[in-house]
Amino acid sequence: MTKYNPDQIEERWQKFWNEEGFYHSDIDHNKTKYYVLEMFPYPSGKLHMGHMRVYSIGDVLARFLRMRGFNVIHPMGWDAFGLPAENAAIENRVNPARWTEKNIEQMKKQQNRLGISYDWRREINTSSPDYYRWSQWLFLLMYKRKLAYKKKASVNWCSDCATVLANEQVEKGLCWRCSSPVETRELEQWFLRITDYADRLLYDLDKLDNWPERVKVMQQNWIGRSEGAEIVFKIKEFPGEEIRTFTTRPDTLFGVTSMVLAPEHPLVKKLVEDTERETEVLDFVAKVRQESEIERTAEEAPKIGLFTGCHVINPINGEEVPILVGNYVLMAYGTGAVMGVPAHDQRDFLFAKKHGLPVRVVIQPDGEELSDQTMTEAYTGDGKMVNSGPYNGLDNVEGIGRVTAYLADNGLGGFQVGYRLRDWLISRQRYWGAPIPIIYCEKCGALPVPDADLPVELPLEVELSGNRVPSLAHYEDFMHTLCPTCGGPALRETDTMDTFICSSWYFMRFTSPQSDDAPFEPRAVDYWMPVDQYIGGIEHAVLHLLYARFFTKVLFDAGLVKTEEPFSRLLAQGMVYKDGAKMSKSKGNVVTPDEIVEKYGADTGRLFILFASPPEKDLDWNDQGVEGCHRFLRRIWRLIEECREEFDTTAGNSEYTGKEADLERSVHAAIKKVTHDVQDRFNFNTAISAIMELVNAIYTYRQSVENNDHNHGVVRDAIEKTVLLLAPFAPHLAEESWHNLGFSESVHLQKWPVYEPDKLVVENIEVVFQINGKVRGRVTVPADSTEEQLIEEAHHNERIKELLAGREVVKVIAVPGRLVNIVVR
Ligand SMILES: [Zn+2]
Ligand SMILES: [Zn+2]
């Protein structure tokens, strides 16, 4: 008998599968396609457990669906631009491109060692010119469709790193990387007009029936659509000027007691110019602008405001209201001006209390009497309008429409939809990214790089300066070019693109990665898209998924793809913990895929990761659990080895009794359960349990027959089915076993087993129904009916129902296989 030796069998089969091109798939209109995709990784060089988990999930599906007869595409690639390569360049004095190449090589080896079934012909690397050429081309498509534009914007700036930081990269006002203070700067930046697609991105969420609800809610909140009114306020001291503001509560317009402007609001300077308040206000503005948006808008942050000395005129009642500058109002959201209604907005309430502004109740709830004097917090609910002139007594919901109509009729504003979503800032002042393909000519202005001149290639030799990789502005050869229109000297754009652009369309490139006259071939993208099953972390619930949806819609509008949504089904897998904590170096609780593969083999690691927890739930790494999975695989191995010997040495019998029927039933029950759990519910853990039960059933049968006089036919069938069911989970062991059973073709080319419903039917028996111990009925039920099923059966029996009518049931006793006794009073 040979021993289970994963080391030896796994690498052998991996080599075989790769050499035979097992996982290559091509367009085939006679088959139903299925696109399985795991979010492609950043090539850090190290595969961690989170990776192993997501790839194992994807691989089970891909292998299962292939056996089910689908034409499965399962590609993998590298999201290779981004900051870590620059940091590594500084630390190790290596070229970012070389560093990235090396990491890719390393991670690919690790992925292959897990036996993941990728079609490596489709591999892409977003930092290679033949990929980013098309990222640039897509940027220009946006530019030509007026969806890419440049404007001045306030950004978080770290002068030490000489770069713009995303909000998430600012921690307590400091740069996450170097801890120097972050300031706000006005820079010319490139944006994509994602706000043009806000409504479609919102409403099309309804079409995504197979997305987790929480992801859809997160996207919905991020888009943040709200209906309300735009209101125009004239300024008393500057009759020609006006301030526009958006509110969802125009019904509270009579309760306005202040107007608060963002420090960045273009009017602030003018309002205080040459007044005694000028220095104080402008100093305040400068100070606030040093702070990040997150700090300014944090709930616990103090709401500070300064009076400008000017007033707006309330368009509905002509009242004069002071204008302040407040730290918590952001220019980038809405209009940068907020009308303060302290009685009916909590933030305004806190601000008014702090600055002694009046509170005026204009909505009175039913059955309660609010008073300006006694309120301790704002009232934001519905009610009757009061202190509101001609609207007094009106229901406030009706008031919203009436006030809005008044404003519209009088040219003072009107209905408007507001969004929290802002345009996507894509400029990065970084070296390691796709250069933005724009040329600036003094005579002709900003011009797109002609398609024929793409890609605009990154200079490959990096000149490190001190502790940073300088941006493209430092590369003279790169910067100077000729104007495509007049031929005169011109300069290139030196910003590179946000890496989220590269990952917004890679799933389409996978359909035809060699295409060199378009980002993808129409026939390939039409055949393979959309992605049928996308798998990745919940941390991508908003940005990546929203950007990918946005790109897909733009490409749809441009007639380049036929699908408006890129991902039909989405699975957000949970985290991997160890001993209740996130795996981290500092806690010393890191387990790497390499260690597990070395100790137990890839099949054990994959099986444990799928068995320990359903994919959407967090997973606690547990060494005993890994051991247990390894023992289970050894158990299967031993079983097959024993049976093989037996098939060779004993004749067996052809007896078919209750025992053989039981085993057959176990086989068909397992097929049914595994199929259902994998296909409809991704409950890989319960699917694996079902395989374990089947293995137990085979052992039980073998032990129950005396003198090893087994029915070889039934045992053999049970074992073959076990191996087929196991193939997606433990692909190497299944492959080796399949061959050991005498087959010459790969197990992964076999058809998925199908269960026969009549093989599932168990024998029927008769049970009696009793009331107070007297037999009142008989019924035939499956022999394995449980207590609950029997009681249920009794309650549905017409005669029993009649006899129970009007009587109180005290107790119900069910004895499986025999009776149900109902005790009544
Ligand atoms: Zn920094
Ligand atoms: Zn020119």
Side-chain angles (χ1 to χ4, degrees), residues 565-617:
E565 283 292 338
F567 314 120
S568 305
R569 309 225 291 190
L570 176 71
L571 190 151
Q573 94 274 5
M575 304 272 290
V576 181
Y577 291 96
K578 173 98 200 287
D579 311 320
K582 219 176 141 175
M583 285 191 189
S584 77
K585 262 194 203 146
S586 59
K587 289 201 190 72
N589 64 350
V590 176
V591 184
T592 66
D594 283 355
E595 288 167 45
I596 294 302
V597 167
E598 198 181 317
K599 193 161 173 200
Y600 299 103
D603 280 343
T604 295
R606 294 170 54 126
L607 194 73
F608 168 73
I609 229 166
L610 296 165
F611 180 58
S613 163
E616 329 77 55
K617 296 270 159 51

Coordinates of all heavy atoms in Angstrom, one line a residue, residues 565-617:
E565 N -23.4 46.4 -16.8 CA -22.9 46.1 -15.5 C -21.8 45.0 -15.6 O -22.0 44.0 -16.2 CB -24.0 45.6 -14.6 CG -24.9 46.7 -14.1 CD -24.3 47.6 -13.1 OE1 -23.3 47.2 -12.5 OE2 -24.7 48.8 -12.9
P566 N -20.6 45.2 -15.0 CA -19.5 44.3 -15.2 C -19.6 43.0 -14.4 O -19.1 42.0 -14.9 CB -18.3 45.1 -14.8 CG -18.8 46.1 -13.8 CD -20.2 46.4 -14.2
F567 N -20.3 43.0 -13.3 CA -20.2 41.8 -12.4 C -21.6 41.3 -12.0 O -22.3 42.0 -11.2 CB -19.4 42.1 -11.1 CG -18.1 42.9 -11.4 CD1 -17.9 44.1 -10.8 CD2 -17.1 42.3 -12.2 CE1 -16.7 44.8 -11.0 CE2 -15.9 43.0 -12.4 CZ -15.7 44.3 -11.8
S568 N -22.0 40.2 -12.6 CA -23.4 39.7 -12.3 C -23.5 39.2 -10.9 O -24.6 39.5 -10.2 CB -23.7 38.5 -13.2 OG -23.6 38.9 -14.5
R569 N -22.6 38.4 -10.4 CA -22.7 38.0 -9.0 C -21.4 38.4 -8.3 O -20.3 38.4 -8.9 CB -22.8 36.4 -8.9 CG -23.8 35.8 -9.8 CD -24.6 34.7 -9.0 NE -23.9 33.5 -8.7 CZ -24.5 32.4 -8.3 NH1 -25.8 32.4 -8.1 NH2 -23.8 31.4 -8.0
L570 N -21.6 38.8 -7.0 CA -20.4 39.2 -6.3 C -20.4 38.5 -4.9 O -21.4 38.3 -4.3 CB -20.6 40.7 -6.0 CG -19.5 41.4 -5.1 CD1 -18.2 41.4 -5.8 CD2 -19.9 42.8 -4.7
L571 N -19.2 38.0 -4.6 CA -19.1 37.4 -3.3 C -18.0 38.2 -2.5 O -16.9 38.3 -3.1 CB -18.7 35.9 -3.5 CG -18.7 35.1 -2.2 CD1 -19.0 33.6 -2.6 CD2 -17.4 35.1 -1.4
A572 N -18.3 38.7 -1.4 CA -17.3 39.4 -0.6 C -16.8 38.5 0.5 O -17.6 38.2 1.4 CB -17.9 40.7 0.0
Q573 N -15.6 38.0 0.4 CA -15.2 37.0 1.4 C -14.7 37.6 2.7 O -14.3 38.8 2.7 CB -14.1 36.1 0.8 CG -12.7 36.5 1.1 CD -12.1 37.5 0.1 OE1 -12.8 37.9 -0.8 NE2 -10.9 37.8 0.2
G574 N -14.8 36.9 3.8 CA -14.5 37.4 5.1 C -12.9 37.4 5.3 O -12.2 37.0 4.4
M575 N -12.5 37.9 6.4 CA -11.1 38.0 6.7 C -10.6 36.7 7.3 O -11.4 35.8 7.7 CB -10.9 39.1 7.8 CG -11.5 40.4 7.5 SD -10.3 41.4 6.6 CE -9.1 41.7 8.0
V576 N -9.3 36.6 7.4 CA -8.7 35.4 8.0 C -8.0 35.9 9.3 O -7.2 36.8 9.3 CB -7.6 34.7 7.1 CG1 -7.0 33.5 7.8 CG2 -8.2 34.3 5.8
Y577 N -8.5 35.3 10.4 CA -7.9 35.6 11.7 C -7.1 34.4 12.3 O -7.3 33.3 11.8 CB -9.0 36.0 12.7 CG -9.7 37.3 12.4 CD1 -10.9 37.3 11.7 CD2 -9.2 38.5 12.8 CE1 -11.6 38.5 11.4 CE2 -9.8 39.7 12.5 CZ -11.0 39.7 11.8 OH -11.6 40.8 11.5
K578 N -6.4 34.7 13.3 CA -5.7 33.6 14.1 C -5.9 33.9 15.5 O -5.5 35.0 16.0 CB -4.3 33.5 13.7 CG -3.4 32.6 14.5 CD -3.3 31.2 13.8 CE -2.9 30.1 14.7 NZ -1.6 30.1 15.1
D579 N -6.5 33.0 16.3 CA -6.7 33.2 17.7 C -7.5 34.5 17.9 O -7.1 35.3 18.8 CB -5.4 33.2 18.5 CG -4.5 32.1 18.1 OD1 -5.0 30.9 17.9 OD2 -3.3 32.3 18.0
G580 N -8.4 34.8 17.1 CA -9.3 35.9 17.3 C -8.7 37.3 16.9 O -9.4 38.3 17.0
A581 N -7.5 37.3 16.4 CA -6.9 38.6 16.0 C -6.5 38.5 14.5 O -6.3 37.4 14.0 CB -5.7 38.9 16.9
K582 N -6.4 39.7 13.9 CA -5.9 39.7 12.5 C -4.5 39.2 12.5 O -3.7 39.5 13.4 CB -5.9 41.2 12.1 CG -6.4 41.4 10.7 CD -6.5 42.9 10.4 CE -6.0 43.1 9.0 NZ -6.1 44.5 8.5
M583 N -4.2 38.5 11.5 CA -2.8 38.0 11.4 C -1.9 39.2 11.2 O -2.1 40.0 10.3 CB -2.6 37.0 10.2 CG -3.2 35.6 10.5 SD -2.7 34.5 9.2 CE -3.7 33.1 9.6
S584 N -0.9 39.3 12.0 CA 0.1 40.4 11.8 C 1.5 40.0 12.4 O 1.5 39.2 13.3 CB -0.4 41.7 12.5 OG -0.2 41.6 13.9
K585 N 2.5 40.6 11.8 CA 3.8 40.3 12.2 C 4.0 40.6 13.7 O 4.6 39.8 14.4 CB 4.8 41.1 11.4 CG 5.4 40.3 10.2 CD 6.6 41.1 9.7 CE 6.9 40.7 8.2 NZ 7.4 41.8 7.4
S586 N 3.5 41.8 14.1 CA 3.7 42.2 15.4 C 3.1 41.3 16.5 O 3.6 41.1 17.6 CB 3.2 43.6 15.6 OG 1.9 43.7 15.4
K587 N 2.0 40.7 16.1 CA 1.4 39.7 17.0 C 2.0 38.3 17.0 O 1.7 37.5 17.8 CB -0.1 39.6 16.8 CG -0.9 40.9 17.1 CD -2.4 40.6 17.3 CE -3.2 41.8 17.5 NZ -3.3 42.6 16.2
G588 N 2.8 38.1 16.0 CA 3.5 36.9 15.8 C 2.5 35.7 15.5 O 2.8 34.6 15.8
N589 N 1.4 36.0 14.9 CA 0.4 35.0 14.6 C 0.2 34.8 13.1 O -0.9 34.4 12.7 CB -0.9 35.3 15.3 CG -1.6 36.6 14.8 OD1 -0.9 37.3 14.0 ND2 -2.8 36.8 15.2
V590 N 1.2 35.0 12.4 CA 1.1 34.9 10.9 C 1.3 33.4 10.5 O 2.3 32.8 10.9 CB 2.0 35.8 10.2 CG1 2.0 35.6 8.7 CG2 1.8 37.3 10.5
V591 N 0.4 32.9 9.7 CA 0.6 31.6 9.1 C 0.6 31.9 7.6 O -0.3 32.5 7.1 CB -0.6 30.6 9.4 CG1 -0.3 29.3 8.8 CG2 -0.8 30.5 10.9
T592 N 1.6 31.4 6.9 CA 1.7 31.7 5.5 C 1.3 30.5 4.7 O 1.4 29.3 5.1 CB 3.1 32.1 5.0 OG1 3.9 31.0 5.2 CG2 3.6 33.3 5.8
P593 N 0.7 30.7 3.5 CA 0.4 29.5 2.6 C 1.6 28.6 2.4 O 1.5 27.4 2.4 CB 0.0 30.2 1.3 CG -0.5 31.6 1.7 CD 0.3 32.0 2.9
D594 N 2.8 29.2 2.3 CA 4.0 28.4 2.0 C 4.2 27.4 3.2 O 4.5 26.2 2.9 CB 5.3 29.3 1.9 CG 5.3 30.0 0.6 OD1 4.5 29.7 -0.3 OD2 6.2 30.9 0.4
E595 N 4.1 27.9 4.4 CA 4.3 27.0 5.5 C 3.3 25.8 5.5 O 3.7 24.6 5.7 CB 4.0 27.7 6.9 CG 5.0 28.7 7.3 CD 4.4 29.5 8.5 OE1 3.8 28.9 9.4 OE2 4.6 30.8 8.4
I596 N 2.1 26.1 5.2 CA 1.0 25.1 5.2 C 1.3 24.1 4.1 O 1.2 22.9 4.3 CB -0.4 25.7 5.0 CG1 -0.7 26.6 6.3 CG2 -1.4 24.7 4.8 CD1 -0.6 25.8 7.6
V597 N 1.6 24.6 2.9 CA 1.9 23.7 1.8 C 3.1 22.8 2.1 O 3.0 21.6 1.8 CB 2.2 24.6 0.5 CG1 2.7 23.7 -0.6 CG2 0.9 25.3 0.0
E598 N 4.1 23.4 2.7 CA 5.3 22.6 3.0 C 4.9 21.5 4.0 O 5.4 20.3 3.9 CB 6.3 23.5 3.6 CG 7.7 22.9 3.5 CD 8.8 23.8 4.1 OE1 8.7 25.0 3.8 OE2 9.6 23.3 4.8
K599 N 4.1 21.8 5.0 CA 3.9 20.9 6.1 C 2.8 19.8 5.7 O 3.0 18.6 6.0 CB 3.4 21.6 7.3 CG 3.4 20.7 8.6 CD 3.4 21.6 9.8 CE 3.2 20.7 11.0 NZ 2.8 21.4 12.2
Y600 N 1.7 20.3 5.0 CA 0.6 19.4 4.8 C 0.3 19.2 3.3 O -0.5 18.3 3.0 CB -0.6 19.9 5.4 CG -0.6 20.1 6.9 CD1 -0.4 21.3 7.5 CD2 -0.7 19.0 7.8 CE1 -0.4 21.5 8.8 CE2 -0.7 19.1 9.1 CZ -0.5 20.4 9.7 OH -0.5 20.6 11.0
G601 N 0.8 20.1 2.5 CA 0.4 20.0 1.1 C -0.7 21.0 0.8 O -1.4 21.5 1.7
A602 N -0.9 21.4 -0.5 CA -1.8 22.4 -0.9 C -3.3 21.9 -0.7 O -4.1 22.7 -0.2 CB -1.7 22.8 -2.4
D603 N -3.5 20.7 -0.9 CA -4.9 20.2 -0.8 C -5.4 20.3 0.6 O -6.6 20.7 0.8 CB -5.0 18.7 -1.2 CG -5.0 18.5 -2.7 OD1 -5.3 19.5 -3.4 OD2 -4.8 17.4 -3.2
T604 N -4.6 20.0 1.6 CA -5.0 20.2 3.0 C -5.3 21.7 3.3 O -6.4 22.0 3.9 CB -4.0 19.7 4.0 OG1 -3.8 18.3 3.8 CG2 -4.3 20.0 5.4
G605 N -4.5 22.6 2.9 CA -4.7 24.0 3.1 C -6.0 24.5 2.5 O -6.8 25.2 3.1
R606 N -6.2 24.1 1.2 CA -7.4 24.5 0.5 C -8.6 23.9 1.2 O -9.6 24.6 1.4 CB -7.4 23.9 -0.9 CG -6.3 24.5 -1.8 CD -6.2 23.8 -3.1 NE -7.5 23.7 -3.8 CZ -7.7 24.1 -5.0 NH1 -6.7 24.6 -5.8 NH2 -8.9 24.0 -5.6
L607 N -8.6 22.7 1.6 CA -9.7 22.0 2.2 C -10.0 22.7 3.5 O -11.2 23.0 3.8 CB -9.4 20.5 2.4 CG -10.7 19.7 2.8 CD1 -11.5 19.5 1.5 CD2 -10.3 18.3 3.3
F608 N -9.0 23.0 4.3 CA -9.3 23.6 5.6 C -9.9 25.0 5.4 O -10.9 25.3 6.1 CB -8.0 23.8 6.5 CG -8.2 24.7 7.6 CD1 -9.0 24.2 8.7 CD2 -7.8 26.0 7.7 CE1 -9.2 25.0 9.8 CE2 -8.0 26.8 8.7 CZ -8.8 26.3 9.8
I609 N -9.4 25.8 4.5 CA -9.8 27.1 4.4 C -11.3 27.2 3.9 O -12.0 28.1 4.2 CB -8.8 27.9 3.4 CG1 -8.4 29.2 4.0 CG2 -9.4 28.0 2.0 CD1 -7.2 29.8 3.2
L610 N -11.7 26.1 3.2 CA -13.0 26.1 2.7 C -14.0 25.5 3.7 O -15.2 25.7 3.7 CB -13.1 25.3 1.4 CG -12.3 26.0 0.2 CD1 -12.1 25.0 -0.9 CD2 -13.0 27.2 -0.3
F611 N -13.4 24.6 4.5 CA -14.2 23.9 5.5 C -14.5 24.7 6.8 O -15.5 24.6 7.4 CB -13.5 22.6 5.9 CG -14.2 21.7 6.8 CD1 -15.5 21.3 6.6 CD2 -13.6 21.3 8.0 CE1 -16.2 20.5 7.5 CE2 -14.3 20.5 8.9 CZ -15.6 20.1 8.7
A612 N -13.5 25.6 7.1 CA -13.5 26.2 8.4 C -14.7 27.2 8.6 O -15.1 27.5 9.7 CB -12.2 26.9 8.7
S613 N -15.2 27.7 7.5 CA -16.1 28.8 7.6 C -16.8 29.1 6.2 O -16.1 28.9 5.2 CB -15.4 30.1 8.1 OG -16.2 31.2 7.8
P614 N -18.0 29.5 6.1 CA -18.6 29.8 4.8 C -17.8 31.1 4.3 O -17.3 31.9 5.1 CB -20.0 30.2 5.2 CG -20.3 29.8 6.6 CD -19.0 29.7 7.2
P615 N -17.7 31.2 3.0 CA -16.8 32.2 2.4 C -17.1 33.7 2.8 O -16.1 34.4 3.0 CB -17.0 32.1 0.9 CG -18.0 31.0 0.7 CD -18.4 30.4 2.0
E616 N -18.3 34.0 3.1 CA -18.6 35.5 3.4 C -18.2 35.7 4.9 O -18.1 36.9 5.3 CB -20.0 35.9 3.2 CG -20.8 35.3 2.1 CD -21.3 33.9 2.5 OE1 -22.0 33.8 3.5 OE2 -21.0 33.0 1.7
K617 N -18.1 34.7 5.7 CA -17.8 34.9 7.1 C -16.3 35.0 7.4 O -15.5 34.4 6.6 CB -18.4 33.7 7.9 CG -19.9 33.7 7.8 CD -20.6 34.5 8.9 CE -22.0 34.8 8.6 NZ -22.9 33.8 8.2

